[in-house]
Amino acid sequence: MVMKSSFAYLFDGLNESQMEKISRIGKEIPMQKGQQIFKEGQEANGVYVVRKGAVELMTMVEEIFELPISILRNPGDVFGSSALVPPYRYSLSARCAAEGSLFCIETPELRKLASEDREIGCQIMTNLAAHFLDRLKETRQEVKIHFKMLLSSTRS
Amino acid sequence: MVMKSSFAYLFDGLNESQMEKISRIGKEIPMQKGQQIFKEGQEANGVYVVRKGAVELMTMVEEIFELPISILRNPGDVFGSSALVPPYRYSLSARCAAEGSLFCIETPELRKLASEDREIGCQIMTNLAAHFLDRLKETRQEVKIHFKMLLSSTRS
């Protein structure tokens, strides 16, 4: 059984029997340092949970440079969740930064489960919306920082 | 009856009878130019749809400057949707930029409807997650632009 505590935001609010259903549709996969897990823009078929090791998320800047977005090191960290909403493409690239393993849930299975068990579906989508809003606020904060730098350079 | 076409993303995929339920829990309110609709950080009790007129969304930079985020001019444009996810606070400020009217749905009513009719709830949350992901991608794009400017100024 997959322990609830090993999952982060995506499964918040689900009870033990619902988590049991989730755990049945996922599988554990190993990852090696440097391994590309998925690429930005690629069709997205799976949501991932870090079990062990670390994963780096990046975005392309002008096809020449990969800008690091974050490093996930905590068991339970979720990534690839843009696989759950249209247009079902990864919005970032993911690469293994330290050897370990992932729990992978294929999204056709997860969507099937969510449509059979509406409560699971609603809860996951609510968690997902809250998560994207959090990331949006963080990213706006970055824009503000750049903006302030511009303002102060104009003044000086 | 509220026409489905007058609603943007939030109500995508709902059928006529579901839209009827939504329209029953909302109310039309007038707005005057310059009127503050809500402030960033404030407890969020309502989701709004532009019926007529225009609304400007802004974010505070260092409590001295309001950075414009977007102007909503199309009937059906939705704002204030951070009222639907924890921590239930507005993530931006909204001000009327051109006299008109809004359709306001109080979130306790909408949450009640969503828990009674799971299909409505799931659909709205899926739409919301997709919307926040879109905004997130746009905002990341802005960060990339600033980043490229920094890179080129370092090079020159």
Side-chain angles (χ1 to χ4, degrees):
Chain A
M1 191 205 147
V2 179
M3 296 306 293
K4 191 172 171 183
S5 62
S6 74
F7 285 110
Y9 72 88
L10 200 59
F11 306 108
D12 270 2
L14 296 185
N15 62 33
E16 211 167 307
S17 89
Q18 290 169 327
M19 281 310 298
E20 193 67 51
K21 289 183 188 176
I22 301 277
S23 73
R24 277 202 292 272
I25 60 169
K27 59 174 189 284
E28 187 115 3
I29 52 172
M31 61 173 178
Q32 306 304 321
K33 192 175 171 179
Q35 183 189 331
Q36 186 97 32
I37 300 156
F38 53 73
K39 279 203 158 199
E40 183 174 346
Q42 190 184 309
E43 203 180 317
N45 300 309
V47 176
Y48 297 85
V49 184
V50 175
R51 301 305 295 273
K52 196 166 167 276
V55 171
E56 190 178 18
L57 302 178
M58 300 144 299
T59 185
M60 290 298 291
V61 179
E62 271 188 335
E63 296 174 25
I64 47 152
F65 183 82
E66 281 189 319
L67 185 64
I69 298 286
S70 59
I71 290 203
L72 310 177
R73 302 181 180 282
N74 300 314
D77 281 343
V78 174
F79 64 101
S81 49
S82 57
L84 290 172
V85 290
Y88 308 113
R89 293 195 171 273
Y90 292 117
S91 61
L92 297 172
S93 296
R95 190 162 46 213
C96 174
E99 191 183 322
S101 64
L102 299 172
F103 186 73
C104 171
I105 305 166
E106 289 184 9
T107 42
E109 292 290 310
L110 188 54
R111 279 207 288 271
K112 189 165 160 275
L113 175 61
S115 70
E116 284 163 8
D117 187 329
R118 285 285 184 196
E119 221 174 289
I120 292 184
C122 275
Q123 187 63 52
I124 285 182
M125 283 305 170
T126 304
N127 294 341
L128 198 57
H131 170 74
F132 287 143
L133 179 60
D134 272 351
R135 292 294 85 75
L136 177 58
K137 286 193 271 189
E138 272 178 25
T139 310
R140 274 189 195 138
Q141 211 54 41
E142 277 185 64
V143 173
K144 286 184 197 180
I145 291 165
H146 288 291
F147 189 82
K148 277 190 268 181
M149 281 166 59
L150 275 179
L151 269 185
S152 60
S153 67
T154 317
R155 276 182 204 138
S156 62
Chain B
M1 191 202 149
V2 179
M3 296 307 292
K4 192 172 171 185
S5 62
S6 75
F7 285 108
Y9 72 89
L10 199 59
F11 306 108
D12 270 2
L14 297 185
N15 63 31
E16 212 167 307
S17 88
Q18 291 169 326
M19 282 311 297
E20 194 68 50
K21 289 183 187 174
I22 301 278
S23 72
R24 277 203 291 271
I25 60 168
K27 60 174 188 283
E28 187 115 4
I29 52 171
M31 60 172 177
Q32 305 304 322
K33 193 176 171 177
Q35 183 188 330
Q36 186 95 36
I37 299 155
F38 54 71
K39 280 204 156 195
E40 184 175 345
Q42 189 184 308
E43 202 179 316
N45 299 310
V47 176
Y48 296 86
V49 184
V50 175
R51 302 304 297 271
K52 196 166 169 276
V55 171
E56 190 178 20
L57 302 179
M58 301 143 298
T59 184
M60 290 299 291
V61 180
E62 271 190 335
E63 296 175 26
I64 47 151
F65 183 82
E66 281 189 320
L67 185 64
I69 298 285
S70 61
I71 289 202
L72 310 177
R73 301 180 181 284
N74 300 314
D77 281 343
V78 174
F79 64 101
S81 49
S82 57
L84 291 172
V85 290
Y88 308 112
R89 295 197 170 270
Y90 291 117
S91 62
L92 297 172
S93 296
R95 190 161 46 213
C96 174
E99 191 182 323
S101 64
L102 299 171
F103 186 72
C104 171
I105 305 165
E106 289 184 10
T107 42
E109 291 290 308
L110 188 56
R111 279 206 290 271
K112 189 164 161 272
L113 175 60
S115 71
E116 283 163 9
D117 186 329
R118 284 286 184 195
E119 223 174 287
I120 293 184
C122 275
Q123 188 61 54
I124 286 182
M125 282 306 169
T126 303
N127 294 341
L128 197 58
H131 170 74
F132 286 142
L133 178 60
D134 273 350
R135 292 295 83 77
L136 176 58
K137 286 192 271 190
E138 272 177 24
T139 310
R140 276 190 193 136
Q141 212 52 41
E142 277 186 63
V143 173
K144 286 184 197 180
I145 291 167
H146 288 292
F147 189 81
K148 278 190 267 183
M149 282 166 58
L150 276 179
L151 270 185
S152 60
S153 69
T154 317
R155 278 180 201 139
S156 62

